[in-house]
Every structure is written in structure tokens, then in C-alpha cells.
Amino acid sequence: MRVLYTSDIFARQAVGGISRYFVELIRELLRNERVDVDLSVRWHINEHLRELQETEKVAGRFLPKLRSIRHFLPAVNALPYWSSSAGTDSPQIIHHTYYSWFQPSTVGGLVVTAHDVMPELFWNRSHPRTKGLLLAKRRSLEAADRIIAVSQHTKNDIIDIYDLEPDVIDVIPHGNPMAEFSKLSTVSLEVDDVSRKGQRPYLLYVGARGGYKNWEAFIDAFAASEFLRKEFRIVCFGGGPLGRAERELLEKLRISSSVTQESGDDHALAKAYCQATAIVYPSRYEGFGLPPLEAMSCGCPVICSDAASIPEVVGGAGVYFDADDLDSIRSAMESTLGDSAKLKRLRQAGLEREKQFRWRTTAELTLASYEQAIGLAAPIPSDSKRAAA
């Protein structure tokens, strides 16, 4: 089976969860003799694809200087392909890497992955760019022969919003991008920064901090607890340096000295997970939610909200709270962090749970979805689709 991946996300995104998802999927399918993988990419700005190109022969030239025109690159990349897509070399499957206006006229099956409905729920829908994205998303979803949803919650959302038939949507969870670190001990990942020695243990927060990510609620709950302020500090990994409003909030709550921000690659993030007492993940919405999965693979206990798809990922390996209730957030942290036996159980449960999320499984289920799209296979069994339930 010849499968072609469009340039859409690789031309738009320098780094990020969607492009990483496709790179990991492509990496696995390149090892599968049943698949002939191709990319309709001439130029791209994506770091994840660049890393794949260092070890695999896949199309596209990495040109980071084109980031200023990233909104035009998908069209530039698409035109040469769509103009010559007919013929014996046409792919049996085209998998859009993002929602696109460009639809092929001759193809065996068209597949689209739905990652979330954040634009529909949280963005300014009157903004021209959001309007354009949502129109392209509807066009792509309605044109697709199969739709892949990364969680059952995402599937339910897109059915509700776009009035799609459930039978055309396959639930296929992500693999764990940090699975390799599950075999490493915390000793091998010790932080070399001598200045950290003697400091209080820390709670880890990973990713962006604005809007539905609910960082301020986490900070408010932390500041409201004498126990937490005395015994712990907070490390925010990624998301950029703390902004002025964030620093002012920390000063107002008198916890400025207890909160720091760090950045780095996967190895640095793995160190942060391994050294943390726990990760706190207060998000109000996730299409999937990778940080809790990454944390579990590093033996980091998970304290998280019970919102959206997060329970599908964490299962019984975490402690849950209501993301809209400060007392619930504070209580979950206090009751967990004050119980060393509970923290140990969470570490072990997380290490077992994360084994259910492997890119090889994601690739096999995706291949089954491709075969359905061109009528070569029966529907994916419901037990497989709910691997993360």
C-alpha cells in the first residue's frame, strides 16, 4: 500500500504535538513492509521531520528561514503534487497532516486525524484566521473516507459539532514519545545543576500556561496551602519564560521565590519528570494530553484534572481533581504529597499504565484504518479502538 502524507503541518509548525505525532507514525510505518511511505513535501520548517530525515530517506528540505511565510507553504507544496496526482503511481491513501482546502481528485482513500476541538471551544471564532481554519476542518472531515480520533472524547466532540457518522471514525491513541526513558533510572538522569542541591522538592508543571491550561488555578491552590508552600516549590517546564502578568500573580500570592521556569529537549524534560515529586496537570480540556503519559513513563506520580480525555490516558494511575474547584485541587495535592506510600503506588501504577501506549500499536491500528478506507478490511475491533480506556 502506498501512503502519501501531505505537507500541511510540516510547513506550518516548527515543533509541536501534531507534527511529532505524524513523524512518530511515519517512523513506525517505514519499518513495515506492507507500506510504501511518501511525503508531498518540497520545503518545510519542522524540527521533528528534520530529525527523521537524519536517519531516514524521506522527502523535503528543511528551510527554517521560511517560517515567516509558513501560511503559504502548504499551497506551494501542494500544487506540484495535485497537478500530477493521477496515474499508476497515485497513492492508495492520502493522509492529511492538517486540515486542508486542497483535496485530491484521484485517490483510493482520504484519511484525516482529528486531534481536538480546541478552536471550536476556546478560540475567537469571529477571527478571520479561525474562520478559515474551521471551514478547512469541516471540508477535510466531510471529505474523508476515514477519520482518526486520538481519544474517545475527541471522537464524541467531533460527532457532536460536525454531525458526523460514528462508524467512519476510528479511535487510535498516541504512542508515548518518551517511552525510551521508562527504562532509565532516576540515577542515570540526575540533574547536574549543583545549585539545586539542598532545595525543597518540587512539583512539575509542563507546557503552555494560558487559558484552558488552567495554570493560575494550580498556582492559587498551591498558594492557599501552608503545607505545600512550606514543603515544595514549583518548576514550570516549557511554555516560555514567565510573563509580566504571571510574575505579578506570583508576587501577589507571595510565592515568587517558589516558582521557576525551565526549557530544554526531551532528555532535559525526562530529568525534570524523574526528579519531580509529582506532576500536576490542571487542564480543563485535552484532545489527548501527552504530559501525564510522559510523566508516567519516567516514574513521576500524576495528580491531574478529570476533564475531557485525561482519564483515558491516565486511567487508574493518577489522583484526580475538579479543574474548576480550587479546594479540590488543593486537597488532591495535599492528600497525595503527604503520603509517601501513595506516591510509591502511583509511580508503579504509572509505569505499568504507560506500557499500553506504543507507537507500534498506533501504526498498526492506523494501517487497519487505511485498509478500511479502501475497502480492504473490516472495522477495527472496539477493544483495540479503546486501548487507552
Side-chain angles (χ1 to χ4, degrees):
M1 176 187 296
R2 184 183 175 215
V3 180
L4 183 136
Y5 295 89
T6 64
S7 68
D8 299 292
I9 197 63
F10 303 120
R12 284 182 172 91
Q13 190 177 70
V15 294
I18 297 177
S19 57
R20 185 165 190 177
Y21 157 84
F22 277 104
V23 165
E24 296 295 345
L25 174 60
I26 291 168
R27 192 191 307 276
E28 284 296 329
L29 290 178
L30 285 169
R31 300 171 181 151
N32 193 313
E33 295 180 353
R34 297 158 59 196
V35 185
D36 180 13
V37 173
D38 194 8
L39 275 73
S40 65
V41 178
R42 298 179 67 188
W43 303 296
H44 70 91
I45 62 172
N46 190 260
E47 295 285 349
H48 305 306
L49 181 56
R50 179 187 62 80
E51 293 173 2
L52 179 66
Q53 289 171 327
E54 290 177 354
T55 58
E56 305 286 350
K57 292 182 179 180
V58 293
R61 184 180 178 187
F62 177 63
L63 293 174
K65 292 182 179 180
L66 295 180
R67 287 173 186 169
S68 61
I69 62 167
R70 64 186 183 277
H71 297 296
F72 301 98
L73 273 179
V76 173
N77 278 312
L79 289 174
Y81 175 73
W82 302 133
S83 63
S84 60
S85 61
T88 57
D89 292 332
S90 295
Q92 292 172 280
I93 291 290
I94 288 180
H95 194 156
H96 275 306
T97 59
Y98 203 57
Y99 312 114
S100 176
W101 288 104
F102 298 96
Q103 304 295 336
S105 58
T106 56
V107 63
L110 183 64
V111 177
V112 176
T113 297
H115 298 272
D116 54 55
V117 293
M118 282 187 285
E120 294 87 336
L121 298 179
F122 299 103
W123 294 12
N124 179 4
R125 298 182 65 176
S126 64
H127 191 282
R129 187 168 293 172
T130 304
K131 283 184 177 180
L133 169 62
L134 294 182
L135 285 171
K137 185 172 184 177
R138 178 175 291 278
R139 177 177 168 83
S140 293
L141 293 174
E142 291 179 349
D145 295 287
R146 302 299 301 177
I147 298 168
I148 294 171
V150 298
S151 67
Q152 184 64 43
H153 193 276
T154 294
K155 175 175 178 175
N156 295 341
D157 281 345
I158 61 175
I159 290 171
D160 291 342
I161 293 172
Y162 292 97
D163 194 27
L164 298 170
E165 291 295 329
D167 291 346
V168 303
I169 306 172
D170 298 318
V171 177
I172 304 177
H174 285 257
N176 181 3
M178 301 190 74
E180 63 182 290
F181 294 107
S182 65
K183 298 179 181 179
L184 301 177
S185 68
T186 56
V187 174
S188 68
L189 292 171
E190 284 182 354
V191 179
D192 296 326
D193 187 356
V194 177
S195 67
R196 291 187 180 181
K197 291 183 178 179
Q199 290 190 12
R200 286 169 292 165
Y202 66 85
L203 308 179
L204 185 63
Y205 177 94
V206 176
R209 298 182 294 274
Y212 69 92
K213 291 295 187 179
N214 209 26
W215 178 79
E216 288 190 12
F218 162 47
I219 293 298
D220 286 338
F222 176 89
S225 170
E226 181 179 355
F227 165 69
L228 296 175
R229 292 198 316 271
K230 179 181 178 181
E231 298 294 333
F232 297 95
R233 57 194 173 95
I234 295 172
V235 172
C236 301
F237 194 98
L242 294 169
R244 179 177 177 179
E246 293 171 328
R247 295 195 304 272
E248 289 177 350
L249 173 63
L250 298 177
E251 290 172 3
K252 178 182 177 181
L253 296 174
R254 298 181 180 180
I255 58 171
S256 294
S257 62
S258 296
V259 182
T260 57
Q261 189 275 334
E262 300 179 3
S263 299
D265 59 12
D266 281 353
H267 199 269
L269 178 56
K271 287 181 180 180
Y273 283 131
C274 287
Q275 295 289 320
T277 302
I279 182 177
V280 181
Y281 201 66
S283 180
R284 291 189 176 96
Y285 177 85
E286 295 294 329
F288 183 79
L290 281 174
L293 176 57
E294 295 171 342
M296 290 189 294
S297 68
C298 295
C300 180
V302 176
I303 306 172
C304 60
S305 78
D306 59 4
S309 66
I310 298 172
E312 290 183 57
V313 177
V314 178
V319 172
Y320 294 97
F321 55 75
D322 181 344
D324 295 314
D325 186 333
L326 293 183
D327 286 339
S328 176
I329 301 173
R330 176 187 53 78
S331 177
M333 289 192 289
E334 288 180 339
S335 63
T336 304
L337 298 168
D339 188 337
S340 59
K342 189 174 186 178
L343 287 170
K344 184 177 180 179
R345 289 196 299 272
L346 288 173
R347 290 190 189 97
Q348 292 302 318
L351 288 169
E352 287 301 313
R353 176 69 178 174
E354 74 85 24
K355 293 177 183 177
Q356 299 183 32
F357 300 86
R358 289 292 180 266
W359 286 112
R360 180 175 296 178
T361 302
T362 301
E364 285 293 336
L365 291 174
T366 300
L367 183 55
S369 186
Y370 293 163
E371 291 173 342
Q372 275 197 85
I374 56 176
L376 294 180
I380 297 173
S382 57
D383 289 345
S384 298
K385 289 195 285 187
R386 289 193 287 267

